[in-house]
Amino acid sequence: MDGEPEEEAEGGRWVRDLLLLAGICLLTLLLVNAFVARPFAVPSGSMENTLMPGDRLVANKLAYAFGGHVRRGDVVVFDGTGSFLPESAAPKGVGGTLRALGQDLGLAPAGDTVYVKRVIGVGGDRITSPGPDGPLTVNGVPLDESSYLRLGDAPSRVAFDIVVPAGKLWVMGDHRKASRDSRDHLGEPGGGFVPEDKVIGRADWVVLPVGHWTSLDRPASFAALGGTGGHGDKG
């Protein structure tokens, strides 16, 4: 009987230590999601076969945090409000603010305003497409997309000739037949260009399912564009 208070005290300390450890783990996870790396689920087939619907990827939020720029060939996760969607699509008020905070911390789903695409051009680049009969050219250099473009897809069925404004990006899906990307917004006020400051992070890894685990490295074909203009050949 004399030992019961001591045992109860030890049990109380064990519970407190466990709760403290759980709190530290939760805080660490929230900080990682907010500032380092954030998980996302791929919502559609627009990036097949690089990314499949339902794949879980990790967006590296530090990739461009210290003066680095988005580079051609990067797969990026970005907020499409103001480019792919009107600004009015963003949730408003306190509820919208709380939802955005929850998304930043990884506590809420990314939502319908978040996209994942491949960067084809950066600020200063001129990108042209003759339509389905030829490759894209970036600053006059034909772009070899055979390593990632979905088999059977043309580089673009839409002909266009655009110059990417400074601070903006031209993005396209790897499954061009099924991708609503910068091409679909050519005639709109934003021209389909995504502001760099809307990029949430660079998609660096597919982590689930286990059978599709891969590192999303920049295709070697983009090296041929280095020095042709823009900032795509810089870190």
Side-chain angles (χ1 to χ4, degrees), residues 136-161:
L136 303 181
T137 64
V138 180
N139 302 323
V141 179
L143 178 60
D144 179 5
E145 300 190 276
S146 58
S147 67
Y148 57 84
L149 196 65
R150 193 176 190 271
L151 186 64
D153 281 12
S156 176
R157 292 189 169 276
V158 178
F160 59 85
D161 185 344

Side-chain angles (χ1 to χ4, degrees), residues 32-204:
V32 168
N33 281 344
F35 300 108
V36 181
R38 180 173 163 187
F40 287 94
V42 177
S44 72
S46 70
M47 283 294 292
E48 291 181 352
N49 289 327
T50 303
L51 299 171
M52 305 301 289
D55 278 356
R56 265 61 175 179
L57 59 83
V58 173
N60 179 0
K61 302 185 76 170
L62 295 180
Y64 314 118
F66 301 103
H69 285 288
V70 179
R71 297 173 66 185
R72 307 181 193 103
D74 287 352
V75 177
V76 295
V77 177
F78 63 93
D79 179 359
T81 54
S83 56
F84 282 27
L85 295 168
E87 288 288 354
S88 59
K92 305 295 182 183
V94 176
T97 301
L98 291 176
R99 179 180 176 183
L101 178 61
Q103 290 170 345
D104 288 340
L105 295 176
L107 299 176
D112 297 333
T113 66
V114 176
Y115 296 79
V116 55
K117 303 290 181 186
R118 188 180 298 277
V119 177
I120 302 299
V122 297
D125 285 340
R126 180 181 181 183
I127 307 170
T128 62
S129 166
D133 298 326
L136 303 181
T137 64
V138 180
N139 302 323
V141 179
L143 178 60
D144 179 5
E145 300 190 276
S146 58
S147 67
Y148 57 84
L149 196 65
R150 193 176 190 271
L151 186 64
D153 281 12
S156 176
R157 292 189 169 276
V158 178
F160 59 85
D161 185 344
I162 58 93
V163 175
V164 185
K168 302 292 182 67
L169 307 169
W170 180 267
V171 299
M172 300 173 73
D174 291 354
H175 187 5
R176 300 286 160 79
K177 289 181 181 179
S179 176
R180 292 186 58 82
D181 48 42
S182 289
R183 297 168 296 167
D184 293 277
H185 304 277
L186 278 166
E188 298 175 10
F193 303 112
V194 176
E196 278 199 65
D197 60 12
K198 289 285 191 175
V199 172
I200 297 168
R202 185 179 65 204
D204 279 354

Side-chain angles (χ1 to χ4, degrees), residues 199-212:
V199 172
I200 297 168
R202 185 179 65 204
D204 279 354
W205 310 279
V206 176
V207 294
L208 289 174
V210 174
H212 199 202

